[in-house]
Amino acid sequence: MTVLKKLRFFQKVILKFQSLKVIALLVLVSILVTGCGAQGEKAIDINLANRSYKETRSNLTETSNVIYFGFDRRLETKEDVKMYVPLLNYLEKETGYQFKIHVTPVNSSVVEELGQGKIQMAAIGTLGYLQASENYGAITTVKGLNTEDKDRYKAAIVTRPNSKIKTISDIRGKSFAFGDPASTQGHLIPRIMLSQKGIEISSLKYIQNFTSHSEVANAVMSGRFEAGGMQDTLAKSLESTGLLKIVAISEEFPSSGIAFAKGVNQEVVKEITRALVEFDPEGEDLIGLYHWEISEMPHGFTYANDEDYDELRSWARKFGLLKKVDGEVK
């Protein structure tokens, strides 16, 4: 199918679906038109007051009164930024601290930047938190609540609608698209799902990691990969429109949340944590939010403890995902 035909098809679909489905499809349309879309090689900081962009400082100073907030890429970077700006505005109002969004460059990661002190806090997936905790002493205090008010989430393994793949076992010897190496729903949980059926990386034809769930979806939709692992909500949305087929949905695992770099003042952590738990995106804090319903924490936050992630930590260790090699988390 040509790009033009795909766009026409998407336009028809968009007329029928709203909210999450519309957002998901718009992201994929953008990818098809522009390609995977490099986000730029330089890190940038974004001033919440005037949305001004500038090349980031090389590091934070201990005397800085600004809290730099990083994030895992979920959608397009601009969409992610629009989503998190209202949250940081809320935190400024509730805590009195000043915040700036930090966009991590493509040659780095949120995990590394937490460890290097370039950001003080981040919206980060569970695996990313485990890597940052294991190697850099990061801590987590809250995790997201889904639309069912659960602090859990799932992943999905998908294929094309006309694929002969019916079960996970059928993926043995096939090509597979994973999300970012630090992604829980795009990498760790799909690895668990495959491993539970006796399929390890060596059992696959070839693999590739992509920077976002939407890129994984596009890689499978385009036929470049026979199957892939991704966020379950986006997978369900795309299946409902006939663009992908879900092979399997995982069990529930502790959801992603907010992590703080080692050394951040404990009073600061405590105050921000309080504000996050009191954040009410379905009620009094709804006004001004930007598509928060498709975030990793659509119903806000609840308290988290490091022990919540013991099962995933064990799997990550089994797969060698917590090792640090030559200064980088692998």
Side-chain angles (χ1 to χ4, degrees):
M1 185 183 290
T2 65
V3 171
L4 180 57
K5 288 182 179 179
K6 286 182 179 180
L7 287 173
R8 287 174 178 170
F9 174 70
F10 288 155
Q11 288 172 346
K12 293 179 182 178
V13 172
I14 288 171
L15 292 176
K16 299 179 182 179
F17 296 90
Q18 299 182 12
S19 187
L20 173 61
K21 296 175 182 177
V22 172
I23 302 300
L25 292 171
L26 287 175
V27 170
L28 290 176
V29 169
S30 177
I31 290 172
L32 287 167
V33 174
T34 63
C36 292
Q39 306 295 345
E41 292 299 327
K42 294 182 178 180
I44 56 174
D45 297 327
I46 302 169
N47 189 307
L48 300 187
N50 57 24
R51 306 293 192 276
S52 63
Y53 292 67
K54 67 177 182 178
E55 185 176 343
T56 184
R57 75 244 99 77
S58 60
N59 209 329
L60 288 175
T61 64
E62 293 184 359
T63 59
S64 173
N65 61 354
V66 176
I67 298 170
Y68 288 87
F69 175 91
F71 57 89
D72 285 337
R73 289 172 180 165
R74 303 288 179 183
L75 305 171
E76 287 187 282
T77 301
K78 289 181 180 179
E79 290 298 297
D80 285 326
V81 168
K82 289 178 182 178
M83 183 184 296
Y84 287 121
V85 162
L87 174 66
L88 297 189
N89 284 332
Y90 160 83
L91 289 177
E92 286 194 343
K93 180 183 69 174
E94 290 296 315
T95 67
Y97 302 134
Q98 183 181 355
F99 294 83
K100 286 187 179 180
I101 288 185
H102 173 87
V103 179
T104 301
V106 294
N107 60 351
S108 185
S109 71
V110 173
V111 172
E112 292 171 354
E113 296 200 325
L114 276 171
Q116 296 164 357
K118 292 182 178 179
I119 54 177
Q120 292 168 299
M121 61 182 291
I124 191 170
T126 301
L127 178 56
Y129 160 67
L130 291 174
Q131 293 173 336
S133 172
E134 183 89 357
N135 294 283
Y136 303 116
I139 63 170
T140 187
T141 59
V142 297
K143 51 190 172 181
L145 291 171
N146 63 22
T147 54
E148 299 175 346
D149 282 327
K150 292 182 178 181
D151 56 351
R152 317 283 288 177
Y153 61 7
K154 305 175 184 178
I157 289 179
V158 299
T159 188
R160 294 187 304 283
N162 61 350
S163 172
K164 294 181 180 180
I165 296 174
K166 305 297 182 183
T167 68
I168 293 178
S169 296
D170 296 332
I171 296 174
R172 184 182 301 276
K174 302 293 193 298
S175 57
F176 198 92
F178 287 100
D180 187 276
S183 170
T184 311
Q185 291 174 293
H187 188 180
L188 177 55
I189 298 178
R191 288 276 302 267
I192 294 172
M193 297 170 73
L194 292 170
S195 183
Q196 288 173 333
K197 296 298 182 180
I199 301 174
E200 306 299 339
I201 293 295
S202 59
S203 306
L204 299 171
K205 185 178 181 181
Y206 59 88
I207 66 169
Q208 184 174 331
N209 290 99
F210 293 87
T211 61
S212 69
H213 299 299
S214 54
E215 287 187 18
V216 170
N218 186 49
V220 177
M221 286 168 48
S222 66
R224 289 180 289 140
F225 287 81
E226 294 165 281
M230 61 188 296
Q231 185 186 62
D232 66 313
T233 51
L234 181 57
K236 290 175 183 176
S237 173
L238 295 171
E239 182 181 58
S240 71
T241 62
L243 295 173
L244 285 175
K245 178 177 71 176
I246 293 176
V247 177
I249 297 285
S250 75
E251 59 184 289
E252 293 182 329
F253 291 96
S255 60
S256 57
I258 304 295
F260 293 87
K262 180 180 179 180
V264 176
N265 184 285
Q266 288 304 299
E267 285 302 313
V268 173
V269 172
K270 182 178 179 180
E271 184 64 10
I272 293 175
T273 298
R274 175 200 61 76
L276 288 170
V277 171
E278 293 176 0
F279 178 57
D280 184 10
E282 292 287 299
E284 61 180 320
D285 301 314
L286 173 64
I287 297 177
L289 296 182
Y290 182 81
H291 294 308
W292 190 256
E293 71 277 4
I294 64 169
S295 72
E296 293 293 310
M297 51 288 294
H299 280 195
F301 302 89
T302 188
Y303 292 106
N305 296 301
D306 184 72
E307 294 78 13
D308 296 340
Y309 305 101
D310 283 347
E311 182 182 0
L312 285 175
R313 181 181 285 108
S314 295
W315 279 106
R317 284 206 175 109
K318 174 185 175 181
F319 298 140
L321 298 177
L322 300 185
K323 295 178 180 178
K324 188 165 70 170
V325 181
D326 295 330
E328 295 184 1
V329 177
K330 298 296 186 184

